[in-house]
Amino acid sequence: MNMIENEEKITRALLVSVDTGDFDAEASLAELEELVKSAGAVPEFTLTQKLQRPESATFVGSGKLLEIKELCEAQELDLIVVDSELTPTQIKNIENFTDVRVIDRTTLILDIFAQRARSKEGKLQVELAQLKYLLPRLTGKGIEMSRLGGGIGTRGPGETKIETDRRHIRRRMETLKDELAEVEKHRHMLRRRREKDGVITCAIVGYTNAGKSTLMNTLTDAGVLAQDKLFATLDPTSRALKLPGGVSVMLIDTVGLVRRLPHHLVEAFRSTLEEAAQSDIIINLCDASSDEARVHLSVTNDLLESLGAQDRPIITVLNKCDLLDGSLMPLEFESCVKISAKTGEGIDRLLEAIENNLPVRMKRVSLLIPFSDAGIVSEIRGNGTLLSEEYTADGVEVEAIADEILYSKLARFEK
């Protein structure tokens, strides 16, 4: 009996972009290369065409389409990835002419999210976004209706039968929405509980691959996967962080952002993003070593503004500063907190900035409370944080954390 070892074939891709002048096509194409790598494929070649507007039938001009066909045949490429959202007709026409599978930017990002989702909520959100994207693309797909994953690796909700129709898709979408509503209700209850218990939340937001997971690990030893690729982690993580002053906050890691993030995903992950936007403090983390640092900050700020987070304290943090010459730092970045999550440089300044932006200024105090006033210890337990207490001959020695109101009652007992 002969044993045959199955080897997974590496997908070799051609990346195609049309530069209409509406956005930085070169930077977007470079980002698309990273997305393709994150999805597990190899971006072998890139082609760009300048047009006033994409061709309605084939996205690119006839001459460029012939060039794409010849390049795919000569190099035996497996996949064409287009740096825009395509119509079903455009995908069908390009595939028929080149005889190569075609996906667009939205399908690629959805595929990456499907690969990365681990929690129940993350999987539900991704599946809902995929179905919303698939629904208007059912017409004319014929046998390809079975290709629900459609991306690199075809991860996702799973294969469907050819006879799957819109009614079935809509029914599944309604089920997903109901399940997500229950998850969101549970998260809302947790948020209400944290508010009742006085838990201070601090969310890390920012562009994908800015180092959010690395910072989370540095601050809390959370054990979150940290890799140099886009969307290495997708599911949000929460961990307790004790500040130097003794106050503990809940640190929340969030999904990364990219420019031109598909609106299907923004809508699907809106509840998760709103959780970050409603935090007491927001850390806007940016990769300072990137040439696109200003754009990345702008993308994050625009999203936070759309979620109504303008009234929250936002700490702008520049990460990976160990890769930069400080003298070359742009002037507008001077007021930002500069750190390296990998080496630990500047972490003390970040913690100080968090403490300075706490919603209620907290103070750590050492007290000697006479036995005649020992009842105030119960008030510290109820309205502050009692770190330690020891009964001595002179009274109760207490270490505590108190807000300004409670401290006004305790100041006379301070040692």
Side-chain angles (χ1 to χ4, degrees):
M1 180 177 177
N2 295 326
M3 301 295 292
I4 299 175
E5 184 177 349
N6 291 327
E7 293 185 4
E8 186 175 344
K9 187 176 183 294
I10 297 176
T11 302
R12 301 170 67 240
L14 167 65
L15 279 53
V16 178
S17 173
V18 167
D19 185 1
T20 60
D22 294 334
F23 55 88
D24 189 336
E26 184 178 344
S28 183
L29 194 59
E31 184 175 270
L32 187 69
E33 287 191 52
E34 294 302 317
L35 288 169
V36 169
K37 291 177 185 176
S38 293
V42 179
E44 296 283 7
F45 301 94
T46 61
L47 288 178
T48 303
Q49 182 178 30
K50 285 185 178 291
L51 292 174
Q52 287 187 338
R53 66 181 63 86
E55 293 290 335
S56 58
T58 58
F59 186 70
V60 295
S62 57
K64 184 62 69 174
L65 187 61
L66 180 60
E67 182 182 348
I68 291 171
K69 176 181 173 66
E70 292 174 346
L71 181 59
C72 290
E73 290 176 349
Q75 300 297 330
E76 297 182 348
L77 301 179
D78 312 296
L79 181 69
I80 298 171
V81 185
V82 179
D83 192 25
S84 291
E85 187 167 307
L86 299 178
T87 66
T89 301
Q90 289 171 333
I91 293 175
K92 180 181 178 182
N93 290 340
I94 298 173
E95 286 186 337
N96 288 343
F97 187 81
T98 63
D99 198 27
V100 177
R101 188 159 58 97
V102 177
I103 64 173
D104 59 13
R105 182 185 179 92
T106 301
T107 301
L108 176 62
I109 294 177
L110 287 170
D111 185 63
I112 295 172
F113 270 56
Q115 292 180 30
R116 302 289 188 268
R118 293 293 178 268
S119 69
K120 177 184 176 182
E121 182 181 15
K123 291 177 181 179
L124 291 173
Q125 288 169 326
V126 171
E127 183 178 351
L128 179 60
Q130 286 181 311
L131 293 178
K132 282 185 177 179
Y133 183 71
L134 175 69
L135 185 60
R137 289 166 168 76
L138 288 178
T139 302
K141 290 187 73 69
I143 195 170
E144 292 181 6
M145 282 174 59
S146 64
R147 193 188 66 195
L148 188 56
I152 301 170
T154 61
R155 296 288 187 90
E159 299 291 323
T160 65
K161 297 178 181 179
I162 294 175
E163 60 270 16
T164 299
D165 58 8
R166 285 192 176 92
R167 184 170 57 187
H168 174 78
I169 297 292
R170 289 196 179 101
R171 193 160 53 238
R172 177 59 181 160
M173 287 171 60
E174 289 303 316
T175 300
L176 291 172
K177 288 177 182 178
D178 291 341
E179 292 186 43
L180 281 171
E182 286 298 315
V183 175
E184 188 174 350
K185 181 180 178 182
H186 179 66
R187 186 196 288 112
H188 181 68
M189 292 173 61
L190 290 176
R191 185 163 61 239
R192 290 280 300 273
R193 178 63 183 268
R194 288 200 301 263
E195 291 173 354
K196 182 179 179 181
D197 293 344
V199 177
I200 300 171
T201 54
C202 181
I204 307 174
V205 300
Y207 218 74
T208 183
N209 208 31
K212 296 187 298 298
S213 297
T214 303
L215 178 60
M216 187 82 167
N217 290 335
T218 299
L219 293 175
T220 67
D221 295 324
V224 180
L225 175 66
Q227 294 182 355
D228 184 20
K229 62 181 180 181
L230 305 190
F231 301 120
T233 53
L234 175 61
D235 300 314
T237 306
S238 300
R239 291 291 185 274
L241 169 65
K242 191 169 185 177
L243 299 173
V247 179
S248 291
V249 300
M250 182 68 72
L251 196 64
I252 303 172
D253 184 17
T254 62
V255 62
L257 308 175
V258 293
R259 76 189 80 205
R260 298 161 61 212
L261 189 66
H263 67 275
H264 307 284
L265 278 177
V266 173
E267 185 178 349
F269 281 81
R270 192 171 188 86
S271 59
T272 305
L273 294 170
E274 284 177 346
E275 175 79 4
Q278 293 178 9
S279 297
D280 297 297
I281 301 171
I282 298 173
I283 297 175
N284 184 357
L285 191 68
C286 176
D287 178 1
S289 66
S290 171
D291 295 333
E292 298 289 308
R294 292 183 180 86
V295 177
H296 295 178
L297 283 174
S298 177
V299 168
T300 309
N301 286 328
D302 289 346
L303 179 65
L304 291 173
E305 184 175 349
S306 71
L307 294 172
Q310 307 96 314
D311 59 336
R312 309 279 172 171
I314 299 177
I315 305 171
T316 302
V317 180
L318 300 180
N319 189 26
K320 307 184 185 181
C321 288
D322 55 311
L323 304 178
L324 284 179
D325 182 349
S327 62
L328 300 178
M329 189 74 70
L331 291 177
E332 65 264 35
F333 289 166
E334 285 303 315
S335 60
C336 303
V337 179
K338 304 174 186 62
I339 69 165
S340 169
K342 186 175 183 179
T343 67
E345 177 188 349
I347 295 297
D348 55 338
R349 293 191 294 272
L350 173 58
L351 295 176
E352 182 182 353
I354 295 174
E355 286 190 321
N356 291 338
N357 284 277
L358 291 174
V360 178
R361 296 303 299 272
M362 310 295 284
K363 185 178 179 65
R364 182 166 181 156
V365 292
S366 297
L367 310 171
L368 178 59
I369 302 174
F371 291 115
S372 58
D373 296 296
I376 204 167
V377 176
S378 296
E379 188 170 352
I380 295 174
R381 286 196 183 94
N383 300 320
T385 303
L386 184 62
L387 301 176
S388 68
E389 62 177 319
E390 182 180 353
Y391 288 83
T392 67
D394 299 321
V396 186
E397 290 188 354
V398 169
E399 289 283 335
I401 298 173
D403 59 23
E404 294 174 350
I405 297 175
L406 180 59
Y407 177 71
S408 65
K409 302 178 181 179
L410 304 176
R412 58 195 176 102
F413 303 122
E414 195 165 9
K415 292 195 291 185

